DNA sequence: GTCTATATACAGATAGAC
DNA sequence: GTCTATCTGTATATAGAC
């Protein structure tokens, strides 16, 4: 692996676990077994290194979802499962971005916008499925689609954060997600 | 106001908005209009200043809840409202603690334990109300109390985090909370 | 491209006058 | 209690040899 990549991977790991301010380039250099000067040769400043790290981290984030042939309630359950899968598969970087949102001096605003976009896209997709189900008669008309969709994403995010924060959550995240589907999907289902 | 208090309040504001690492004592001194040396006279080190800040911030956190004369489903709704009220009234410090949990080098573990305790206390209280309701016949037996309680706290936390992260959440937090009560309480209510 | 050596700034912390 | 002046370490960043 070339030095540039080595630096990037080391920096990614350190930024993600310690944050921007608490990670020094000396530490990155040491962990990557290169000199500090080499970091500045490959990356203009500490902040541009950080920008590159964030770009590479966010890159695989996407929303490719196949819902063909499923009823609307089934689509909702699938969307919930996919969200949870995605988060558990990207636990490190999700945590990283969440803490970036809450604080941090180096805020790459354009990339934040991308994450918010993805989130809203997901929420809108939930809402659209609910509306389609209401028109098709598989979902109850008692719920406002947008609000219910927002509740689902909130609950998902909350389960996620709880997993980050609490030492060993007594009900497992999986159990809560399954309960989420039971309460937030089954109860608005018609039949 | 005496200098010590001035320092504490300035440090609280800066730590909360910028974090521990990104806040220098020079900045605290400047903003509080005192010399750096005075900070060290009042507080041994930067970290003990931080500890004191955290202690003072967490101090008003408590769980004094009056649920007399309410049916179990009403108690659940009340608990949810109280949680939401508490969080909105302590928005700054809640955000502060959340970001502490996600990162930060200075981790005062004993105080973290206190927050986790409060959280588990609240969750257990929800679970107990549900169980009592099941025994008394006001709550459906279809739900597992502990899991359902965990789902409620997750959803609440998620709504909270969403409020922190998203620019202007299209459904308001209030709307989502009311939807939460409709979906997570009404549907397990008997009658 | 990669290094050693160095410049410069600012961090946390101390000494000592008042 | 509060200050100015200073110490010491380490941070980001640069110069210049190879």
């Amino acid at each position: 692996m070339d030095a540039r990549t080595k630096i990037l991977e080391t920096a990614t790991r350190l930024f993600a676990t310690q944050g921007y301010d608490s990670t020094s380039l000396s530490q990155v250099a040491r962990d990557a077994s290169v000199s500090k000067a080499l970091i500045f040769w490959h990356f203009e400043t500490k902040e541009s290194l950080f920008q590159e790290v964030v770009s590479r981290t966010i890159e695989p984030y996407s929303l490719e979802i196949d819902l063909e042939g499923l009823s609307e309630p089934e689509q909702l359950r699938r969307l919930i499962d996919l969200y949870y899968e995605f988060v558990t598969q990207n636990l490190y970087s999700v945590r990283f971005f969440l803490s970036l949102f809450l604080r941090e001096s180096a805020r790459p605003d354009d990339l934040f916008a991308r994450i918010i976009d993805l989130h809203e896209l997901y929420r809108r997709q939930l809402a659209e499925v609910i509306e389609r189900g209401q028109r098709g008669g598989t979902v109850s008309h008692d719920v406002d689609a947008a609000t219910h969709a927002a509740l689902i994403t909130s609950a998902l995010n909350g389960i996620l954060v709880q997993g980050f924060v609490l030492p060993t959550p007594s009900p497992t995240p999986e159990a809560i997600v399954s309960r989420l589907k039971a309460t937030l999907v089954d109860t608005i289902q018609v039949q």
Side-chain angles (χ1 to χ4, degrees), chain A residues 146-189:
Chain A
T147 315
H148 198 77
L151 177 57
I152 292 177
T153 63
S154 293
L156 281 169
N157 289 331
I159 293 168
L160 159 66
V161 170
Q162 211 146 295
F164 286 151
V165 167
L166 298 185
T168 33
S170 22
T172 64
E174 286 78 14
I176 309 180
V177 169
S178 126
R179 178 82 211 131
L180 185 157
K181 286 186 282 189
T183 320
L184 263 46
V185 179
D186 295 4
T187 57
I188 65 167
Q189 186 169 1

Side-chain angles (χ1 to χ4, degrees), chain A residues 15-177:
Chain A
F15 282 145
T17 52
Q18 309 174 344
Y20 179 81
D21 296 302
S22 327
T23 302
S24 76
L25 295 183
S26 311
Q27 192 187 0
V28 174
R30 196 182 331 116
D31 284 25
S33 309
V34 298
S35 70
K36 249 194 306 185
L38 190 62
I39 298 179
F40 285 98
W41 192 89
H42 282 292
F43 308 91
E44 195 99 359
T45 63
K46 181 185 180 182
E47 206 169 309
S48 40
L49 169 61
F50 180 71
Q51 292 271 358
E52 181 108 10
V53 162
V54 172
S55 291
R56 283 174 89 253
T57 307
I58 206 182
E59 211 215 314
Y61 282 42
S62 77
L63 231 69
E64 292 160 25
I65 302 177
D66 180 21
L67 299 172
E68 288 294 316
L70 298 175
S71 75
E72 282 79 14
E74 284 168 344
Q75 289 182 35
L76 290 177
R77 287 189 203 94
R78 179 116 189 80
L79 281 169
I80 291 170
D81 284 335
L82 286 172
Y83 187 98
Y84 187 72
E85 265 173 41
F86 173 82
V87 162
T88 46
Q89 272 165 17
N90 296 275
L91 213 58
Y92 260 89
S93 55
V94 168
R95 184 180 182 140
F96 176 43
F97 283 122
L98 178 56
S99 65
L100 275 186
F101 269 104
L102 292 176
R103 172 116 25 84
E104 212 66 73
S105 46
R107 292 186 58 122
D109 285 335
D110 46 333
L111 295 163
F112 277 29
R114 168 106 187 272
I115 296 182
I116 290 177
D117 265 11
L118 280 170
H119 193 270
E120 304 227 312
L121 216 70
Y122 177 80
R123 197 172 63 187
R124 211 170 319 134
Q125 193 152 353
L126 282 176
E128 277 165 17
V129 171
I130 294 173
E131 279 166 7
R132 214 178 309 131
Q134 287 173 327
R135 283 195 302 273
T138 56
V139 172
S140 156
H141 283 81
D142 290 348
V143 302
D144 173 65
T147 315
H148 198 77
L151 177 57
I152 292 177
T153 63
S154 293
L156 281 169
N157 289 331
I159 293 168
L160 159 66
V161 170
Q162 211 146 295
F164 286 151
V165 167
L166 298 185
T168 33
S170 22
T172 64
E174 286 78 14
I176 309 180
V177 169

